Every structure is written in structure tokens, then in C-alpha cells.
Amino acid sequence: DRSKVASFNVNEGVIATLIIAKPQLRNVAVEKRFGEIPSITCSPSQVNQVLLNLVTNAAQALDKPQKAIVVTTRREGDDAIAVEVADNGKGIAPEALPKIFDPFFTTKEVGKGTGLGLSIAYKIVSEHGGRIDVKSQPGKGTVFTVVLPIKPPAELAAAGA
């Protein structure tokens, strides 16, 4: 149930996401760096969707022989957690960065992407009272950081009641 709000262990969510993404992660070195983080109150299926979209994008950006993705979880201040998905892929051009969360914007060739993955991720994270940050260096890779509150905004909490 998409709207179901529950306590969620994000580290377990990352593990589940990596299993689902396994076909896209062939020949990719995936490193998990799990921090000591509390469970968060969220819509687990939606948070898993965000993680899957970020991991899938990272896998599709890999263009080097030594393909690598690092997923890190950590505490972010007193009332939030962060999940970082870093890749050593082609990176995002500076002029494309302001548009990456726009619906239907894609840097992929025609037929390879809908341009909805990051738009959906952005919407879900915003609805959870969080944010997504991105840092990218063309030719070196990209890091997406999702910050989610441990306790959600009242509207989300009400949806689960």
C-alpha cells in the first residue's frame, strides 16, 4: 500500500533495493557504508522507489571499466538521516543540473529514459519533508544525497493514521 506510513529501517531498504537492482548492477562494484541510524517514519514503498531510482540512474551513468557505486547512510543532525548514492560515472553537465528534477528531462539518448525517475524521487522526498542534494563532476561522477526527517511532516503522518 503506497500511502501506508510505517517505521522503516533505511539500511534494510537499501539492501532490498540493491537486490531488486541486481540486473542493472552486473559488473559494478557496489560498496555499502551503513551508519548507525534510527528507523524513520515514512512510506517505505515510496522511499524504496527513491532509492531504486537513484541506484538505477547511477548504474546507467557508469561508463568506465572500473564501475563503482557507493551507498552511504548516516545520521544528519538530531532529527534526520541521510542516504548518499555516489557513482564514478560520466557525471552531469553543469548546464543540465538545474533541470534534472524537471519531469521528462533526460540526458539519456532517445528511447533510453523517460525523464521521470528524478522527478518522482524529488516529489516523494519533498512530501516526506526531506530534500535531495546533488554534486556532480563531468567525467568523474555524481553524488545524490537524500535527507529525510526521522519523524515526517504532519500531513504524511495523518495519511498513515
Side-chain angles (χ1 to χ4, degrees):
D1 178 14
R2 282 174 220 268
S3 64
K4 190 159 169 29
V5 175
S7 181
F8 181 62
N9 179 316
V10 175
N11 288 340
E12 288 174 11
V14 169
I15 292 167
T17 296
L18 293 173
I19 291 168
I20 292 166
K22 203 172 190 92
Q24 286 101 318
L25 298 173
R26 280 193 289 280
N27 307 319
V28 177
V30 177
E31 186 181 338
K32 298 180 289 283
R33 297 179 185 167
F34 291 156
E36 289 283 323
I37 58 171
S39 290
I40 65 170
T41 302
C42 66
S43 167
S45 64
Q46 290 186 343
V47 172
N48 276 338
Q49 182 67 59
V50 169
L51 297 172
L52 183 61
N53 290 4
L54 293 177
V55 168
T56 300
N57 278 6
Q60 291 170 347
L62 298 172
D63 60 350
K64 298 176 180 69
Q66 303 298 316
K67 297 172 168 61
I69 295 174
V70 179
V71 183
T72 306
T73 61
R74 66 174 183 274
R75 199 68 194 248
E76 186 84 0
D78 292 334
D79 52 3
I81 60 105
V83 182
E84 209 173 79
V85 178
D87 68 65
N88 68 341
K90 50 182 154 273
I92 302 167
E95 61 275 10
L97 275 175
K99 299 180 237 163
I100 60 170
F101 296 113
D102 294 353
F104 307 110
F105 177 81
T106 182
T107 57
K108 297 177 183 127
E109 54 273 18
V110 174
K112 292 282 190 219
T114 60
L116 291 173
L118 288 177
S119 170
I120 290 167
Y122 185 87
K123 182 175 186 279
I124 290 170
V125 170
S126 296
E127 287 171 354
H128 279 75
R131 69 176 198 274
I132 299 184
D133 301 323
V134 60
K135 290 190 185 94
S136 189
Q137 282 188 290
K140 296 223 161 101
T142 302
V143 179
F144 279 93
T145 306
V146 174
V147 178
L148 291 166
I150 294 167
K151 297 277 180 253
E155 312 82 73
L156 186 74

